[in-house]
Amino acid sequence: MAPGAAAADGAGGRTPVTTAATAPPTSAGSAESSEGPAWPDPRADALAGPGLGSLSVASLLASSAVRHAERTAVVCGAERVTYAQLWDQARAYAGAFRARGVGPGDRVAVLVPNVPDFPRVYFGLLALGAVVVPVHLLFTADEVEHVLRDSGATLVVAAAPVLAAALPAAAAAGIPVVTLLVPDEQRDRVPAPRLEDEAAAAEPLERLVPVPPLAPATVLYTSGTTGRPKGAVGSHLAIVENVNVVLIDCFDMRTGDVVFGGLPLFHTFGQVCVMNTAFRVGATVLLLPKFDPATALRVMDAERATVFIGVPTMYGALLQAAGPHREGGRELPPLRYAISGGAALPEAVLDRFQQVFGAPVHEGYGLTETSPVASFNRVGEPAVAGSVGFPVWGVEAEVTDPAHPERIAVLPAGERGELVIRGHNLFKGYLGDPDATEAAVVDGWLRTGDIATKDDEGRIRIVDRAKDMIIRNGYNVYCREVEEVLVRYPGVASVAVFGVADEEHGQEVHAAVVVEDSEAGRTFDPGAMVAESRKHLAAYKYPRVVHVREAMPQGPSGKVLKRELVAEYEG
């Protein structure tokens, strides 16, 4: 069998994700249910088959509802929900889904912002053994329709703010919709029932439906840097093990911690590293429907946040908001530490954040396909700026020669190459796309597409995305190296370096810059910035063109979308 060819368990299009040999029953309490396929035969050969064990991501909330019943699980505006309440609400939603016929292996698309209804829906579906398909909230109707058709979703759960895209997409795909957060005065104008009403009328799920550890839990659509987004299938085992590993070895998150959850929950970073990890340990998650730095500081200050988890763009935005926050007589939140991921955090921004907020910043690395954490600078140990730390427990990472895509050719320590990863955290494959899975996974190793180095101690540094690397006059220009220089220039809030096609040089080095404030914008001199960069960068590396912008195009996790910058300035 070709490496990774069966990683998606044959789950393409509308084919069921689970099979009769491995799928759990749909009923909450009986393994003899006639509503779904039977549990594996206990008389089968113990050395073969999927085994009799079960594991559910939903247990992360279910267990804490017992252990931390009266602790606050989520805070969103004036709404405060305890663990016991949240689990009861999730079970009520599960009852409504079950009444609609949703069961093990069924894929349900979810378009819900960062509000308590997201975990209610997420854990309600997982408690049934169903598969959650979170959808980017900024997708157009056409993009939502692609996800619905590609995932084989049988139901759409859509919150009121995104119905304009969800309803026509679901209609085109022929899939029923249930809504959330539709006010009473508008219910008659929305051509879909409210989940809240159905949950009130249904019998709540009594207990978790057992699922095999490798059963699919989520289908998360990648950002689609080339062509249509692909659905990465994540297993219950990979997600739960990732949560447990980072809690034991990496994050030092504690019961009673207050964790800022500004990352979108439809994305793996916010979903696993914030929500699932915090729920596992009994911490409180602060939810913001949409990230705004001034609001984030105000909420973190009021709730006395102890842990901040975000992407580099959020760090820069918080630093900009910190000055006015203090001028207004407010304190900064008492952060114990901060975690950065999703993209490289410039060292200058890291240093400034640590000075202003008095909290050490620990960087990590991961992908949707690695559930997501693959390496980390462990909390409690000195973090090395510019490094994403060591592979997490049970995970291997190597740097391989990208000139040999058909095999894994490990390079010596210190050499640059493509980072490859294998371990318990790998996804099951791309839904319905075995060719893409086979191209991404070679001999059990995931090709990440990131250029990295690994030192003699095993510490990893990400140099650049392979697709972002610029080749100017035949020389490799690594964007991160140039960005580290440019972001230190006075008045710069954020910077993105990218290559634009050029007849003379092959590619030319361009930089997009967002300045700190309007006053800096009036005095900012791109030419002076270029001149300063020439003092620190080789002649083929420094940017020839600087674009001053009000904002950067960003993806679902807050990453800067360089492909959009390239398209804009090449056009």
Side-chain angles (χ1 to χ4, degrees), residues 237-253:
L237 174 65
I239 295 170
V240 172
E241 187 67 356
N242 208 258
V243 168
N244 288 334
V245 166
V246 298
L247 279 175
I248 292 171
D249 287 344
C250 302
F251 284 8
D252 185 34
M253 197 179 290

Side-chain angles (χ1 to χ4, degrees), residues 311-346:
V311 294
T313 51
M314 290 182 177
Y315 279 80
L318 283 180
L319 284 170
Q320 286 184 264
H325 189 81
R326 279 178 160 173
E327 291 171 6
R330 304 183 186 92
E331 296 180 5
L332 292 177
L335 298 177
R336 196 168 78 253
Y337 65 91
I339 293 170
S340 179
L345 180 64

